[in-house]
């Protein structure tokens, strides 16, 4: 199976065998090399990502191509960094195209503080955030919810949090989908999933989730930066987390249900991780209703955390809470019906984005009015020790990748290997030497997230921009990182 180079940053996996469409991999030669190097050895951490692109291309109803973004690496079913759009009449919905952390995403807050103001007090800032925002494996928040209240969360999303006093009304204008996904049905979510969320709304979680205080190091697109209200040396707060235990349990529950559906509808199961159901089947519709509920749970979670950040930082700097505003909140690990052009005609498609974020370019009505001219921002997480980026979508991205963007540096090494190579306490000291204050609820967890365990975010952004899919607005760097 040979890859065909189309341009410097675009490769084709030609259609063959059971593939219904070709694969399209947007990546540089430098990032592609490790994927190819390990393929022939039975699949290493990078190796089977290309095979996963091929398997996704074989699913019924897939349109145009099975797509891999520059941060692609192996995932569950779909590769992480994978995008697949499906015809609603002939296509399927696959749990592997969404993943377990439904609507994991990033909200970024803009503050009125300068880098200089926070540099002098960053230990104090770190302590305040660490104490006020619940984080870590199994952490619990201030909210104690009943089943009926969880059902409200699943229907209302971020609006539920706002009604409970977490946030300001303007927040919702700058959250994807207005902070509430249509079509959510709490009845499609199991009692076990709801029970696991009773005390987890407003918690950061663990793993790769983080809360980061960043400064704007460089602005590359002044027009977009003005629209987003950001400037050089300004302090931003990035919140990266998702739907916590509820989203994970939805994934577990529907893995079994969709496996039964695959057999019922005669869909070949090439690997268990790609079990699926026709979009217009009772099973497919029920899963989509559950995913929408999980999406709303994640919106509510980030809404509460954003308010907790305000509560922690506003008193420190003696400013009103409202001075810390939401730039945007956008998720990855989603599946949504969207309108896109295919062969010159606009049509509705069901778009899976697994470890990829929606990146709608200029003019799309889904964007907030203030961002409509330039497109909404997307946030590309680096690592605790490297830069992160703010990008936006483009017309080319709308055409080639259904308006999608990269979501982060992407892992280059498994968590197990990372823990063997780095020690958490050493890592925290090394980062302190670079001027980055880290507060971690688990040192082993910090070791898993060592900067060296990730791809070079500069190369990932270079490939996304080089392929024309996304445009750089600004580069930011961490001053404080709170790890779950």
């Amino acid at each position: 199976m040979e890859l065909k180079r189309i341009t410097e940053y675009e490769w084709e996996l030609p259609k063959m065998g059971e593939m219904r469409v070709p694969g399209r991999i947007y990546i540089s030669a430098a990032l592609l090399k490790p994927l190819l190097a390990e393929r022939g050895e039975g699949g290493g951490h990078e190796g089977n990502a290309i095979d996963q692109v091929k398997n996704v291309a074989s699913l019924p109803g897939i349109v145009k191509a099975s797509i891999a973004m520059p941060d692609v690496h192996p995932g569950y079913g779909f590769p992480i960094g994978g995008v697949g759009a499906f015809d609603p009449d002939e296509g399927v919905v696959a749990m592997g195209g969404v993943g377990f952390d439904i609507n994991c995403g990033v909200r970024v807050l803009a503050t009125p503080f300068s880098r200089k103001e926070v540099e002098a007090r960053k230990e104090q800032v770190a302590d305040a955030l660490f104490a006020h925002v619940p984080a870590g494996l199994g952490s619990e928040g201030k909210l104690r919810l009943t089943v009926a209240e969880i059902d409200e969360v699943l229907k209302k999303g971020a609006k539920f949090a706002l009604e409970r006093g977490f946030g300001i009304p303007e927040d919702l204008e700058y959250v994807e989908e207005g902070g509430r996904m249509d079509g959510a049905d709490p009845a499609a979510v199991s009692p076990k999933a709801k029970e696991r969320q009773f005390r987890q709304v407003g918690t950061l979680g663990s793993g790769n989730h983080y809360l980061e205080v960043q400064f704007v190091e460089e602005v590359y697109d002044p027009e977009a930066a003005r629209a987003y209200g950001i400037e050089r040396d300004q302090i931003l707060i990035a919140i990266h987390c998702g739907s916590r235990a509820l989203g994970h349990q939805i994934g577990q529950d529907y893995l079994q249900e969709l496996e039964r559906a695959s057999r019922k509808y005669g869909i070949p199961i090439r690997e268990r991780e790609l079990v699926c159901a026709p979009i217009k089947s009772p099973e497919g519709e029920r899963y989509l209703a559950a995913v929408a509920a999980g999406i709303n749970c994640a919106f509510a979670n980030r809404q509460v955390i954003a308010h907790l950040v305000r509560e922690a930082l506003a008193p420190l700097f003696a400013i009103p809470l409202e001075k810390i505003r939401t730039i945007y909140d956008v998720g990855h690990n989603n599946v949504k019906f969207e309108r896109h052009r295919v062969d010159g005609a606009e049509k509705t498609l069901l778009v899976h984005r697994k470890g990829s974020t929606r990146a709608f370019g200029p003019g799309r009505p889904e964007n907030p009015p203030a961002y409509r001219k330039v497109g909404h921002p997307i946030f590309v997480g680096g690592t605790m020790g490297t830069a992160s980026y703010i990008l936006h979508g483009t017309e080319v991205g709308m055409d080639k990748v259904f308006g999608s963007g990269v979501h982060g540096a992407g892992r280059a090494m498994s968590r197990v290997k990372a823990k063997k190579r780095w020690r958490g306490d050493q890592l925290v000291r090394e980062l302190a030497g670079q001027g980055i204050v880290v507060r971690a609820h688990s040192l082993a967890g910090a070791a898993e997230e060592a900067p060296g365990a990730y791809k070079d975010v500069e190369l990932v952004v270079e490939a996304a921009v080089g392929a024309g899919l996304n445009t750089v607005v600004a580069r930011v760097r961490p001053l404080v990182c709170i790890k779950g």
Side-chain angles (χ1 to χ4, degrees):
M1 186 166 52
E2 295 294 329
L3 287 178
K4 180 180 172 186
R5 189 168 195 164
I6 306 298
T7 68
E8 186 175 359
Y9 298 106
E10 182 177 350
W11 304 72
E12 180 181 281
L13 185 61
K15 183 178 163 185
M16 64 184 75
E18 295 177 318
M19 292 171 69
R20 297 166 190 261
V21 293
R24 289 279 170 181
I25 303 173
Y26 295 91
I27 200 165
S28 63
L31 290 170
L32 181 62
K33 191 175 177 182
L35 272 74
L36 296 176
E38 297 190 24
R39 284 196 69 230
E41 299 172 5
H45 181 72
E46 294 273 17
N48 61 15
I50 295 175
D51 293 329
Q52 290 182 325
V53 171
K54 176 188 167 191
N55 291 337
V56 171
S58 304
L59 289 173
I62 189 167
V63 173
K64 199 153 73 173
S66 169
I67 295 165
M69 303 296 285
D71 51 345
V72 62
H73 57 286
Y76 189 94
F78 276 50
I80 296 170
V83 178
F86 293 79
D87 183 286
D89 294 320
E90 301 171 3
V92 295
V93 57
M95 177 267 160
V98 178
F100 290 98
D101 195 357
I102 297 169
N103 197 27
C104 182
V106 180
R107 178 180 295 213
V108 173
L109 307 174
T111 79
F113 318 135
S114 69
R115 177 186 179 185
K116 188 177 177 183
E117 287 174 281
V118 171
E119 277 277 13
R121 304 176 66 183
K122 58 189 176 188
E123 294 279 351
Q124 198 179 3
V125 167
D127 289 340
L129 291 172
F130 192 69
H132 204 66
V133 179
L137 189 64
S139 54
E140 297 182 348
K142 291 181 179 177
L143 279 172
R144 300 286 193 268
L145 302 178
T146 64
V147 172
E149 289 170 322
I150 289 288
D151 285 353
E152 270 196 84
V153 171
L154 302 188
K155 285 187 285 190
K156 294 181 176 178
K159 190 179 177 187
F160 172 87
L162 196 64
E163 289 174 352
R164 292 299 183 96
F166 296 93
I168 54 179
E170 290 77 11
D171 285 335
L172 298 190
E173 188 177 342
Y174 295 98
V175 181
E176 190 180 12
E177 308 289 352
R180 177 190 171 278
M181 185 78 184
D182 287 336
D185 182 3
V189 178
S190 70
K192 185 176 181 180
K194 295 174 186 176
E195 185 180 339
R196 293 184 66 184
Q197 198 64 21
F198 282 163
R199 297 184 176 184
Q200 290 204 347
V201 174
T203 63
L204 195 63
S206 57
N208 64 348
H209 297 161
Y210 61 80
L211 173 58
E212 201 164 88
V213 178
Q214 308 164 332
F215 70 93
V216 180
E217 185 178 53
E218 192 65 63
V219 170
Y220 297 92
D221 184 338
E223 183 186 8
R226 275 195 299 276
Y228 304 157
I230 59 175
E231 60 185 16
R232 193 170 180 175
D233 278 342
Q234 185 177 4
I235 292 293
L236 311 180
I237 314 289
I239 301 163
H240 177 231
C241 63
S243 49
R244 305 285 284 118
L246 182 134
H248 192 275
Q249 189 62 47
I250 289 173
Q252 292 286 2
D253 293 339
Y254 278 91
L255 190 58
Q256 298 169 30
E257 190 162 332
L258 296 183
E259 186 173 6
R260 288 192 291 271
S262 294
R263 286 197 296 270
K264 175 180 173 183
Y265 295 104
I267 302 169
I269 303 176
R270 294 173 184 83
E271 59 169 309
R272 183 169 184 259
E273 297 175 356
L274 279 180
V275 293
C276 54
I279 294 167
K280 290 187 174 174
S281 68
E283 295 87 348
E285 290 173 352
R286 185 172 154 81
Y287 177 59
L288 286 169
V291 170
I295 288 172
N296 287 339
C297 178
F299 282 143
N301 196 32
R302 291 196 289 273
Q303 178 68 32
V304 173
I305 293 173
H307 188 70
L308 296 178
V309 168
R310 287 175 169 131
E311 286 185 339
L313 296 188
L316 273 185
F317 293 88
I319 62 164
L321 296 177
E322 295 76 13
K323 290 286 186 182
I324 299 174
R325 62 177 181 82
T326 298
I327 297 179
Y328 202 57
D329 181 319
V330 62
H332 36 264
N333 299 353
N334 282 318
V335 60
K336 297 180 178 182
F337 288 104
E338 297 173 354
R339 299 284 291 175
H340 289 280
R341 285 190 307 273
V342 180
D343 298 329
E346 191 171 288
K347 65 181 300 182
T348 297
L349 300 172
L350 184 67
V351 182
H352 297 63
R353 292 189 183 89
K354 168 75 167 294
S356 172
T357 190
R358 187 156 86 174
F360 279 179
R364 286 290 296 219
E366 296 89 343
N367 292 333
Y371 301 162
R372 206 158 285 163
K373 189 176 176 187
V374 294
H376 70 78
I378 64 170
F379 309 110
V380 185
T383 72
M384 290 182 280
T386 60
S388 295
Y389 281 84
I390 300 175
L391 313 181
H392 68 69
T394 66
E395 283 297 324
V396 172
M398 295 305 302
D399 182 51
K400 289 193 170 185
V401 294
F402 304 104
S404 303
V406 285
H407 87 306
R411 291 199 78 90
M413 181 187 298
S414 72
R415 290 187 165 88
V416 172
K417 282 185 180 177
K419 272 200 291 192
K420 288 179 181 174
R421 183 170 296 188
W422 289 281
R423 277 182 44 187
D425 55 345
Q426 280 182 341
L427 184 67
V428 170
R429 281 197 297 274
E430 287 171 9
L431 291 169
Q434 297 170 31
I436 302 164
V437 178
V438 176
R439 296 284 186 270
H441 288 267
S442 161
L443 288 175
E448 290 178 355
E449 297 300 309
Y454 281 83
K455 301 177 196 290
D456 184 339
V457 70
E458 310 288 340
L459 294 180
V460 169
V461 170
E462 175 200 308
V465 173
L469 311 180
N470 307 142
T471 292
V472 181
V473 177
R475 183 177 66 229
V476 302
R477 285 202 179 271
L479 291 176
V480 172
C481 184
I482 309 297
K483 293 294 295 181

